Amino acid sequence: MKKWLKAALFLLPLLIFTGWVNWHVDSYAFLRVTYDEIAAQMAAGKNVEGLEESDYNDRNLLAARLTGMEEAPQVMVLGSSRVYTFERTMFDTDSFYNAGLSEATVYDLLAVAGILASQGKLPETAVIGVDAFLFNKSHDNEKWKELESYADYMSLTLDQKLSPELARPHKDTGRDWKKTLSLDYFRYNVTLLPEKKRFSVSYTDEWESEGYLKHSDGSVSYQRELREINPADVEEMTRQAMEEHVVYRMTDYEEIDEWRFERLSWLIDYLREAGVEVILYLPPYSPMMYNYIESEGAFQITLDVEEKVKELAVEKGIALYGSYDPEGCGLEMTDLCDVYHVKTEKTADTYYPVIPAR
């Protein structure tokens, strides 16, 4: 009995310390704060601070937000971080949500559509940001696998292989008490203690703040240092990328991947058949970067993608807005907050009709 007591007295402090570290740091938002709770605050109209500093998982937050919606928004925007600054004011409606995801792939577009379809929350209008890199099979990433069940659901739907008995996909983004004493979770969380890094968010009614702000409508306000960045710094970053022969996710891009392009085409057909108005949007590059793309043979596939997307829009009779070429919207280097992202105040100008829907 004494041995058991001694063992218990020895282990108890370790268990308490493990639980405290996991609760305090909670790096993946399993315990002290959850994505469900953040999504509920956003649904109530609150904007969220601290997400970027917490290295948040934007796919988990999106899943929580979309599944928690009581009804579908009238307008939704899908795409990469290059659509982050699309706000509800651009569409003259409060029934709007920006479902942009960092480093988005075609799989992410399928996953977002899969969430909406499985939940019966398809919008009236879907604006899809079509980056040229979407069809580069050399530069996919694994982030979409956070929403893999939804991507698979939509792929099966598009392939007409979805069985009626197949359960609707679900992702648990709520509290997971098992993580309290998880040693694996502890091993990672404890490494963050010296940096005083933890998952921590706060809520505000303000539309801009000093830091990165996730709006209630899903759009993003970047931190002040990016909003007020010196254009010379953006030019220098762009010049460095050019010297290193890098255009984001456009290297090793020899041909447009037909499977990825076909997935987009089929997704458009599915949405339209479901009564959704689909609008395609091509986010522009900066003048410096676009001139470089035009002059470098390795990146001129960007121009090919734009032509192919234009042909797709004409074929399907849907509207196409924007262009990779910044000339149409008068984009200048002063309008960017980094090499690839346009400042909020200029975003609306980049959204102009190129091919109106028939």
Side-chain angles (χ1 to χ4, degrees), residues 19 62 66 97 133 145 149 194 211 221 238 246 281 298 321 323 345:
L62 182 67
L66 295 186
Y97 197 76
F133 55 67
K145 291 197 171 181
S149 62
S221 171
T238 306
V246 172
Y281 166 71
Y321 279 54
S323 170
E345 55 267 28

Side-chain angles (χ1 to χ4, degrees), residues 10 45 76 148 156 176 195 241 243 307 332 334:
F10 174 76
M76 286 195 68
E148 186 171 10
L156 289 171
D176 184 357
E195 307 171 40
E243 289 173 355
E307 286 306 308
E332 299 178 0
T334 54

Side-chain angles (χ1 to χ4, degrees), residues 65 73-75 88-89 91-97 216-217:
R65 185 70 179 90
Q74 291 179 357
V75 180
R88 59 177 180 257
T89 54
F91 301 93
D92 195 28
T93 177
D94 288 332
S95 183
F96 167 86
Y97 197 76
S216 58
D217 69 359

